[in-house]
């Protein structure tokens, strides 16, 4: 996985890969149900393959370093960071935040569908992390990819107030992306950040179901 970070890339391939990922994002956000499930995952695989080649695409799924330790470590880090922010925004500042519609429409099928969709989000984010790292330092690249990751959640969490929505997605989804990025870098595999992401989202859904 880390082989693609800070790697020199072909600008033409980068433009093509980015267009492919953008099309996948549109499919995820606005496509019919079946398309939205697979859209970003498929285009993420294609886009990374276009820019870095099949070998590097396989390498991002390499055996992770200390997978259990890193998944649990970064899951709890994200938990410690995100829930206090959510509590501050909702219960101290009294902001009317929009929750993820997935939490309100829980179905056992989510256990099959959500991991596929989250893999798409991971591929999307790792793509931009790697692209930015060809021009900037890794910390800056991680922040830039986190901002993009937060912004693609705007329509999901839009509550009608632009400022509140932006703060929400950047402080919760954006900061979570920083944690996920660190997980993938430290473990040298997208499988770890994917595991953290799936575990965290399922935990949030189950908490929401039990509290409703």
């Amino acid at each position: 996985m880390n082989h693609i970070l800070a790697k020199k890339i072909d600008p033409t391939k980068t433009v093509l890969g980015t267009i492919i990922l953008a099309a996948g994002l549109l499919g995820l956000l606005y496509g019919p149900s079946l398309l939205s499930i697979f859209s970003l995952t498929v285009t993420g695989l294609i886009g990374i393959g276009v820019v870095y080649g099949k070998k590097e695409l396989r390498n991002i799924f390499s055996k992770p370093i200390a997978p259990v330790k890193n998944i649990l470590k970064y899951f709890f880090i994200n938990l410690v960071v995100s829930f206090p922010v959510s509590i501050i925004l909702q219960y101290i500042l009294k902001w009317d935040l929009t929750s993820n519609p997935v939490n309100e429409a829980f179905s056992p099928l989510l256990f099959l569908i959500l991991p596929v969709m989250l893999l798409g989000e991971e591929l999307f984010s790792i793509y931009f992390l790697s692209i930015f790292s060809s021009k900037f330092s890794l910390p800056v690249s991680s922040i830039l990819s986190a901002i993009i990751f937060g912004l693609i959640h705007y329509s999901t969490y839009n509550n009608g107030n632009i400022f509140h929505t932006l703060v929400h997605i950047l402080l919760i989804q954006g900061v979570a992306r920083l944690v996920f990025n660190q997980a993938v870098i430290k473990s040298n595999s997208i499988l770890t950040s994917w595991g953290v992401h799936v575990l965290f989202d399922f935990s949030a859904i189950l908490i929401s179901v039990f509290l409703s």
Side-chain angles (χ1 to χ4, degrees):
M1 162 62 210
N2 290 343
H3 290 154
I4 67 173
L5 299 178
K7 186 174 182 178
K8 193 173 182 180
I9 51 179
D10 184 330
T12 303
K13 290 182 178 179
T14 303
V15 171
L16 178 57
T18 302
I19 291 172
I20 291 170
L21 266 291
L25 179 62
L26 291 175
L28 170 68
L29 295 176
Y30 305 110
S33 298
L34 187 60
L35 175 64
S36 67
I37 293 170
F38 298 100
S39 177
L40 202 54
T41 300
V42 172
T43 56
L45 292 169
I46 295 172
I48 292 173
V50 166
V51 176
Y52 293 102
K54 294 180 181 179
K55 182 179 178 181
E56 294 295 5
L57 176 59
R58 289 193 298 269
N59 284 340
I60 70 173
F61 291 93
S62 60
K63 182 180 179 181
I65 298 169
V68 175
K69 175 184 175 182
N70 280 315
I71 286 174
L72 292 177
K73 173 183 176 181
Y74 290 103
F75 167 72
F76 283 112
I77 289 175
N78 196 36
L79 202 66
V80 168
V81 172
S82 62
F83 277 104
V85 172
S86 180
I87 289 171
I88 290 171
L89 295 181
Q90 292 187 82
Y91 299 107
I92 296 180
L93 296 181
K94 304 294 185 181
W95 289 8
D96 182 22
L97 302 182
T98 299
S99 62
N100 193 322
V102 170
N103 296 349
E104 300 171 2
F106 176 77
S107 164
L109 281 176
L110 278 176
F111 289 100
L112 297 176
I113 295 171
L114 196 58
V116 176
M117 299 179 73
L118 294 183
L119 177 58
E121 291 189 5
E122 286 303 308
L123 290 165
F124 180 90
S125 300
I126 294 308
Y127 173 85
F128 282 101
L129 172 65
S130 60
I131 294 298
F132 287 132
S133 72
S134 69
K135 297 293 184 182
F136 306 105
S137 68
L138 201 51
V140 171
S141 301
S142 187
I143 291 170
L144 291 174
S145 71
I147 291 172
I148 291 177
F149 182 76
L151 291 177
I152 68 172
H153 288 83
Y154 185 89
S155 60
T156 301
Y157 295 98
N158 181 17
N159 69 345
N161 184 306
I162 295 176
F163 177 70
H164 287 186
T165 302
L166 286 174
V167 171
H168 177 189
I169 59 178
L170 292 177
L171 287 185
I172 297 182
Q173 280 70 40
V175 171
R177 185 68 251 166
L178 293 176
V179 176
F180 299 154
N181 285 348
Q182 196 63 14
V184 74
I185 292 168
K186 289 297 184 181
S187 68
N188 194 31
S189 175
I190 196 174
L191 296 176
T192 303
S193 59
W194 184 31
V196 177
H197 201 161
V198 170
L199 185 59
F200 183 80
D201 276 32
F202 276 143
S203 298
I205 290 170
L206 292 175
I207 289 172
S208 176
V209 169
F210 285 129
L211 292 178
S212 61

